[in-house]
Amino acid sequence: MRRPAILLVLCACAQFKTLSKADRLSSEDRLEYIILTAIAPDAAQEFLTLPTARSRAEFLDWFWSQPQFATTHKQADAYRLYHERARQAQNFFGQLDLVNDDRVRTYIRYGPPHRELFDPKDITSETLRLSVSPAEIWTYQELGRQIDFVKSGTAFKIVGESRFGPRVSAPAWEPVDLGRPAPRPVPDARSLGLELSLYRLRQQAESVQVELGYGIPLREVLRLTQSRYQALVYFTIQLLARKGGSQKTLSFWAGTGAEPDSSLSDYVVGRELCWLPIDIYTVTMTAVSADGQAYSRRTAELNLIDYSRRTQPCSDVILYSLVDSTFQSPQFQRPDWQRVIPLPGSALRPGRTFYALYELYNLGTDSAGRHRIEVRYEILERERQQLAVVPLPDRFITGHGTTAVVVERVHTMNLNPGFYLLIGRINDLESGRTAALSVPFQILARQQ
């Protein structure tokens, strides 16, 4: 039986409601106010300050006559649509706390979602009792938007939002043919904040496929746009083999094109794939701005010898900020997905989701050549070695052949800032073999 997906709350939420100025409105004006908060928050605040029912009615007449509702036909359609949604949201979600429940405003603004509901269940151990709140995940597939809610007191509040699909473009480094030599960083160059991630994938004969993800924080890239060279960076990737002594170097200019979109990622990112002979490598990556005023260098070890000797049942777990079927650039394509956007540094803002992708090898198959896998997930808070309870349902995966690619979208919900481990426990239902994998990630402190 599957375990119910649940969410951590440190103490039980008391069922109380704090009355606001909006609660003192008539039922009709209260609903009008909530519609305004969903589609025009500034107008809602102005509506709330008006002293009489007549002045509020006059304000509504003015609001619905604005340019976005210029013709009578459009005005009537918009008015009817939002009021119909408002009445539905009031019936579905607003019986207990109409004004403060974020689901009401979300439903009014975007309409009916695909809802995933996670029921409460207390977790008890010998030393700890965790009281768990209900949670919901709403997905709007056509809009490419997903919204996470957790119940707090009498209302559900938004704790995270994420985007996907053709309406969003990830901030990315794209190679450019600048025709200039590599710039030299000045002695006191500021840091570009370069992050580097290395992942080992499938083995073929005496080689291993390696994925390299890298990124520079958006805040640093936006500083580069103020220079006369705009956001142009010279990257160098050097892979030095310890045993064989061979060296592989890749150097290129890259730019960002349009101003980066921060709605998807906090980094401007790039991705490289290569096959490397089995060895231990020192991987060094440098990034220098076109004017030499900013520079970063990152070094990491890549051990392919131990990896190949263990006859891996699975690849490393690759962390992405987005995995979907929308094409953006050849560098982000995989055979099974059109777009995989790296998550360099494995750090996320509170409420962000991320994707964990990994490959499983040498699976058992049935008489028809199909594999069957069960995967169960846990999140462990590393410092206290305490399980965090988040919506992570068990997965059952089937397909043809002895290899499978698994993608799990992880909702961090209201995890506190800190360091965590995502743990996957794999059960091969055909062969009876089991395996466990883990990957660290970090939730950053909330920005003030």
Side-chain angles (χ1 to χ4, degrees):
M1 178 180 293
R2 293 189 180 187
R3 299 170 301 167
I6 42 184
L7 187 76
L8 172 65
V9 174
L10 296 180
C11 61
C13 295
Q15 298 296 305
F16 63 89
K17 175 182 176 181
T18 302
L19 292 179
S20 66
K21 190 173 182 179
D23 287 300
R24 300 186 179 95
L25 296 173
S26 67
S27 58
E28 294 82 3
D29 279 353
R30 192 181 309 125
L31 201 61
E32 298 286 357
Y33 166 75
I34 292 170
I35 293 171
L36 292 177
T37 63
I39 62 177
D42 290 342
Q45 290 307 308
E46 185 173 351
F47 178 82
L48 195 59
T49 64
L50 299 175
T52 65
R54 181 175 178 178
S55 60
R56 290 190 288 271
E58 291 173 349
F59 180 86
L60 290 173
D61 288 339
W62 167 84
F63 176 82
W64 290 105
S65 67
Q66 292 308 292
Q68 63 267 44
F69 312 115
T71 68
T72 303
H73 175 70
K74 289 183 179 179
Q75 178 182 5
D77 286 350
Y79 185 88
R80 187 183 307 110
L81 171 66
Y82 287 122
H83 282 74
E84 181 179 347
R85 288 180 181 176
R87 288 189 292 272
Q88 292 172 345
Q90 184 177 32
N91 292 332
F92 295 157
F93 316 113
Q95 298 300 316
L96 191 59
D97 197 347
L98 177 67
V99 171
N100 296 308
D101 199 308
D102 286 346
R103 296 174 303 173
V104 173
R105 282 181 289 275
T106 303
Y107 192 96
I108 293 171
R109 182 173 182 181
Y110 299 118
H114 169 74
R115 294 173 66 201
E116 298 175 78
L117 310 181
F118 301 94
D119 294 328
K121 180 180 179 182
D122 287 348
I123 304 298
T124 304
S125 68
E126 294 181 359
T127 58
L128 183 67
R129 180 178 177 85
L130 300 178
S131 182
V132 180
S133 284
E136 296 190 13
I137 297 172
W138 288 19
T139 302
Y140 292 93
Q141 195 68 36
E142 292 186 358
L143 298 177
R145 187 178 294 271
Q146 196 165 71
I147 304 171
D148 301 342
F149 302 87
V150 174
K151 191 175 184 183
S152 176
T154 58
F156 280 77
K157 310 302 289 184
I158 294 176
V159 295
E161 296 189 55
S162 56
R163 297 179 63 196
F164 58 90
R167 293 172 181 247
V168 63
S169 181
W173 293 110
E174 294 290 348
V176 295
D177 186 8
L178 196 58
R180 295 182 55 203
R184 290 183 177 273
V186 300
D188 58 346
R190 73 176 187 275
S191 173
L192 273 173
L194 176 69
E195 291 285 356
L196 171 65
S197 299
L198 295 169
Y199 301 103
R200 301 162 297 185
L201 297 167
R202 62 182 63 84
Q203 183 177 350
Q204 190 174 80
E206 294 300 310
S207 297
V208 174
Q209 188 180 41
V210 173
E211 177 164 335
L212 183 150
Y214 59 95
I216 293 176
L218 278 166
R219 64 179 183 276
E220 297 300 330
V221 176
L222 292 175
R223 288 185 67 178
L224 294 180
T225 61
Q226 306 304 313
S227 74
R228 65 189 182 96
Y229 294 106
Q230 296 299 305
L232 291 169
V233 174
Y234 191 83
F235 292 98
T236 301
I237 303 170
Q238 184 184 80
L239 301 102
L240 179 62
R242 181 183 303 176
K243 182 179 177 182
S246 62
Q247 179 174 305
K248 181 181 178 68
T249 302
L250 176 64
S251 300
F252 54 94
W253 282 101
T256 63
E259 183 173 322
D261 179 359
S262 63
S263 64
L264 179 65
S265 175
D266 295 325
Y267 289 85
V268 178
V269 300
R271 175 175 177 261
E272 295 287 340
L273 279 172
C274 59
W275 286 93
L276 296 176
I278 294 172
D279 208 321
I280 298 175
Y281 293 84
T282 298
V283 182
T284 303
M285 185 169 190
T286 60
V288 57
S289 62
D291 59 6
Q293 297 297 312
Y295 171 80
S296 279
R297 182 177 186 269
R298 301 287 289 186
T299 301
E301 184 177 277
L302 179 65
N303 190 331
L304 302 184
I305 294 178
D306 288 348
Y307 184 79
S308 62
R309 285 175 178 171
R310 290 199 296 266
T311 313
Q312 292 296 108
C314 57
S315 71
D316 290 334
V317 183
I318 309 176
L319 296 188
Y320 294 116
S321 62
L322 177 64
V323 176
D324 68 6
S325 57
T326 297
F327 175 81
Q328 178 172 328
S329 166
Q331 67 170 316
F332 298 132
Q333 286 184 294
R334 276 186 57 100
D336 37 9
W337 299 94
Q338 284 292 300
R339 179 166 60 173
V340 289
I341 304 300
L343 179 63
S346 307
L348 303 102
R349 278 185 278 167
R352 283 288 179 94
T353 65
F354 67 91
Y355 296 75
L357 182 149
Y358 52 94
E359 299 177 352
L360 300 175
Y361 310 126
N362 306 313
L363 298 171
T365 58
D366 60 17
S367 59
R370 295 181 63 84
H371 55 255
R372 293 189 306 126
I373 310 157
E374 178 187 22
V375 186
R376 304 178 68 182
Y377 293 99
E378 298 171 348
I379 290 181
L380 182 70
E381 200 278 323
R382 292 169 63 184
E383 182 176 349
R384 293 179 295 173
Q385 293 292 295
Q386 178 177 305
L387 287 177
V389 190
V390 298
L392 279 171
D394 297 352
R395 299 295 186 192
F396 291 89
I397 300 161
T398 64
H400 286 283
T402 60
T403 299
V405 178
V406 182
V407 176
E408 183 63 40
R409 189 172 192 174
V410 181
H411 297 259
T412 62
M413 290 294 193
N414 59 349
L415 289 180
N416 292 322
F419 294 89
Y420 296 85
L421 278 178
L422 174 67
I423 302 170
R425 305 192 186 279
I426 301 156
N427 181 17
D428 186 338
L429 298 175
E430 290 298 330
S431 70
R433 292 192 297 268
T434 60
L437 51 82
S438 64
V439 62
F441 67 94
Q442 180 186 4
I443 303 296
L444 299 171
R446 296 185 182 276
Q447 297 178 346
Q448 301 298 322

